[in-house]
Amino acid sequence: MKKVLALMAVLLIASVGIFCAVGATVNENKDTVVITENILYGDKSAAEGITIKNQNRYDRHLFWDTTYTIGEPAEYDTEFWFSAVELRRDNPRNHMKIALNIDIAYGCDFNKPAEEQPGIERAYKELYDAAKPGEELKKIIRLKEYYEYYPIGIEIDLPDTYWHGFAHENLHWSEEYNDYKSAWSIFNEFFKIPVPEDMIMEISISRGHNGNEPTGIGSSFVDKDSYYMSTVSTYSDDKCFFTINNRTNDGKFVDTSLIPGGYGIYAFSYGGEAKKKYKTGIDVDSLKMVYPLDKEEVVIHLLMNTEKTKLLLLTNDGGELVLTVIDAVTMTARQKLSLGAGDLYEIREYGAEHEFYEGREFGSFIVLYLRGNKICLLVENEKGEYEHKFTVDSAEVKVMNSDFVYWKYPSINYDGERLVVVDYLFTGPYNNIPSCGYDVAVYEESGLVYYAEYGSSLSTHPYSNLYEENCLPADDFRDDKFVIEFGE
């Protein structure tokens, strides 16, 4: 027994010694983060003095704050710190705002008689009743026979306000949900868009061999043209602004004449007093058209500036990309700025929303990502008006090995001459895990002038394919993942 205890004591002392030695090694190298620079395009002088600050973590207890300044030579420094408690940040969430969609049913209640079913559900039930066990039946229907107006589903996701309403739910809401039912009804009454006479669908249903539940349900538009309502939206502290598309897939106008005020930008109040008054958190009585739109214009995007004082409307006006700046209080246009002809932006005659990637406002400037490898910069001047600084190719394919450089979590800054975009380098088996390294792209009026990748020794790990075994960026989904600063 004494020998066993003695052996255990020796092993314990040895293990503590090994642990201390490893701890000392880790502690010794804790601030030693090596940044490797790989310049793929341009000269480093174009990025001279640009400083990137970022934070990386391991297991939410170990943190590294790294500052790197591009230059010859480069300057960088890392501060390591430890937290005994697990640190998690309340990352701001991107809200969907509002989405309206055409809520045509897909199927029916197979236990209810056809005459008691609403809309197209009646047609599905009639087809189901006519089918024999193991049989598939198809039927051509005219949508107008089942809907006078398009049924609309609503989903609202705003700060501290979330609500959705769909036609099939409307049938089952109990009295305590009258506010929800009322909101759904008001939206559907407001956006009364008649179903065209020539909108024809084919529906199909396969009945199971036991004669009970169906084994397959299908639907498609016969002439391939259809109307799928889509929404672009933004919001202030107490109002949501949005508009809908007004054309079918083939570019035919839908009838918006029955919408109160006509086609335009619409708004409603939410939160605050509305939350006290309505369970939905939105004041449906405030829903109205606040800014008229020419139906010929195709709405591409709708933004709000950081101060929540301006709406920024991007449209395709006859093949021309146009930014309209609207006062968010008076809802009057303060500026219209042409950004160039459609061929520069690959804008089609209609459906231009499919040719646009994203637009972001950064306080004093706006960056638009466009198809055709374009990046567009707008800068606010002293008068509060925007100037079109440049539109350039976002990448050279031979340099970046990509048909389009699409930054997933970009941080962007502008110093009056250079537009700098920084984003993570990705790793993992599907190249979808943000690493501790990043890439830097610098643009001037002439186009891309510098592109380089900056690898970090924190990303070097024998288990690089295991997410939980990696050092990771500490701010995966925050808007301030990288701080970009410029030297004197």
Side-chain angles (χ1 to χ4, degrees):
M1 184 64 178
K2 289 182 180 181
K3 290 183 179 179
V4 172
L5 290 174
L7 180 59
M8 290 179 63
V10 170
L11 292 174
L12 177 60
I13 292 170
S15 63
V16 169
I18 293 170
F19 179 80
C20 291
V22 172
T25 302
V26 171
N27 190 59
E28 179 184 353
N29 297 321
K30 65 183 185 301
D31 293 326
T32 309
V33 175
V34 179
I35 305 295
T36 56
E37 182 181 62
N38 182 21
I39 300 174
L40 298 177
Y41 184 80
D43 189 272
K44 189 188 290 189
S45 61
E48 187 82 27
I50 294 173
T51 297
I52 293 98
K53 298 179 180 179
N54 70 315
Q55 185 182 90
N56 298 298
R57 64 170 174 82
Y58 181 78
D59 197 30
R60 302 192 184 277
H61 289 282
L62 306 180
F63 294 87
W64 292 265
D65 296 328
T66 300
T67 300
Y68 186 95
T69 300
I70 301 173
E72 194 60 64
E75 298 178 4
Y76 61 94
D77 178 67
T78 296
E79 180 182 345
F80 168 83
W81 53 282
F82 168 76
S83 173
V85 297
E86 184 178 83
L87 289 184
R88 290 185 176 272
R89 298 172 185 242
D90 293 328
N91 291 337
R93 186 169 67 85
N94 291 323
H95 295 277
M96 181 189 65
K97 286 124 347 194
I98 182 172
L100 302 184
N101 55 76
I102 302 303
D103 190 24
I104 295 176
Y106 186 75
C108 64
D109 185 341
F110 297 98
N111 298 315
K112 186 183 292 185
E115 59 272 15
E116 296 181 16
Q117 307 259 7
I120 199 175
E121 295 173 57
R122 173 163 54 90
Y124 276 111
K125 186 58 166 65
E126 289 171 347
L127 197 62
Y128 175 77
D129 291 340
K132 299 175 182 178
E135 183 180 22
E136 178 188 21
L137 290 182
K138 297 181 179 180
K139 181 179 181 180
I140 300 294
I141 65 168
R142 192 176 300 274
L143 201 60
K144 186 74 170 180
E145 296 178 3
Y146 299 91
Y147 300 103
E148 184 176 1
Y149 307 104
Y150 284 106
I152 295 173
I154 309 115
E155 188 166 4
I156 294 172
D157 177 16
L158 295 162
D160 199 32
T161 303
Y162 177 79
W163 171 78
H164 63 82
F166 301 101
H168 66 277
E169 293 176 334
N170 185 42
L171 301 174
H172 307 292
W173 277 325
S174 60
E175 189 172 331
E176 65 177 304
Y177 292 100
N178 278 344
D179 276 357
Y180 298 87
K181 187 173 183 177
S182 174
W184 178 87
S185 299
I186 288 172
F187 268 91
N188 273 267
E189 183 65 25
F190 190 92
F191 292 101
K192 290 174 72 171
I193 300 177
V195 175
E197 296 287 347
D198 60 351
M199 197 65 71
I200 298 173
M201 292 183 68
E202 179 185 78
I203 63 172
S204 64
I205 199 161
S206 299
R207 191 159 186 167
H209 288 281
N210 60 5
N212 296 322
E213 293 297 319
T215 57
I217 299 172
S219 68
S220 61
F221 286 92
V222 172
D223 62 359
K224 303 303 180 184
D225 191 22
S226 57
Y227 176 55
Y228 294 99
M229 182 179 286
S230 61
T231 318
V232 293
S233 59
T234 188
Y235 62 90
S236 64
D237 294 333
D238 60 356
K239 281 189 174 62
C240 179
F241 301 88
F242 67 99
T243 190
I244 59 174
N245 63 313
N246 64 344
R247 307 185 190 205
T248 66
N249 285 354
D250 284 347
K252 299 175 184 176
F253 289 109
V254 296
D255 184 358
T256 58
S257 64
L258 298 178
I259 300 176
Y263 182 59
I265 296 175
Y266 310 96
F268 61 84
S269 300
Y270 76 93
E273 292 301 315
K275 201 167 185 67
K276 297 176 185 177
K277 188 177 179 181
Y278 302 96
K279 291 180 180 179
T280 59
I282 63 173
D283 183 357
V284 288
D285 296 327
S286 68
L287 176 63
K288 61 181 178 180
M289 193 278 289
V290 293
Y291 185 85
L293 293 173
D294 184 338
K295 74 172 187 177
E296 298 288 343
E297 292 183 275
V298 178
V299 175
I300 301 174
H301 203 48
L302 186 63
L303 292 164
M304 179 157 272
N305 69 333
T306 304
E307 291 79 16
K308 310 291 186 187
T309 58
K310 303 173 186 175
L311 286 174
L312 310 172
L313 174 67
L314 195 66
T315 58
N316 170 14
D317 187 1
E320 189 175 24
L321 193 65
V322 176
L323 173 74
T324 302
V325 182
I326 304 167
D327 189 297
V329 177
T330 63
M331 292 307 297
T332 55
R334 295 173 55 176
Q335 181 189 7
K336 275 206 168 188
L337 178 64
S338 173
L339 303 180
D343 57 353
L344 177 64
Y345 299 90
E346 296 189 0
I347 294 178
R348 294 190 297 246
E349 182 179 352
Y350 62 89
E353 64 273 18
H354 301 300
E355 296 298 310
F356 176 78
Y357 272 111
E358 185 184 5
R360 292 182 61 187
E361 193 268 349
F362 295 89
S364 61
F365 63 95
I366 301 170
V367 174
L368 306 176
Y369 305 96
L370 305 164
R371 281 192 189 274
N373 290 355
K374 304 293 181 183
I375 185 168
C376 175
L377 174 66
L378 309 174
V379 178
E380 189 175 19
N381 61 25
E382 294 178 354
K383 298 178 181 179
E385 297 179 341
Y386 290 95
E387 298 177 359
H388 181 198
K389 284 297 183 180
F390 57 71
T391 297
V392 297
D393 289 334
S394 66
E396 295 205 3
V397 178
K398 62 182 180 181
V399 175
M400 299 190 185
N401 300 316
S402 171
D403 291 335
F404 182 80
V405 172
Y406 181 71
W407 293 282
K408 292 184 178 181
Y409 309 114
S411 293
I412 301 179
N413 204 354
Y414 178 65
D415 70 351
E417 294 183 2
R418 298 176 295 181
L419 182 71
V420 181
V421 183
V422 180
D423 200 0
Y424 302 121
L425 294 175
F426 288 83
T427 185
Y430 304 105
N431 201 36
N432 62 344
I433 299 175
S435 74
C436 299
Y438 49 85
D439 59 5
V440 177
V442 181
Y443 299 93
E444 294 180 359
E445 193 171 342
S446 60
L448 179 70
V449 294
Y450 181 78
Y451 178 78
E453 295 178 346
Y454 293 85
S456 171
S457 58
L458 290 174
S459 293
T460 304
H461 197 282
Y463 305 107
S464 59
N465 288 345
L466 297 178
Y467 181 84
E468 67 276 8
E469 295 293 337
N470 279 270
C471 288
L472 297 167
D475 296 325
D476 301 33
F477 304 104
R478 293 172 63 88
D479 289 336
D480 58 348
K481 295 164 290 295
F482 299 93
V483 175
I484 306 170
E485 297 177 348
F486 300 95
E488 296 294 332

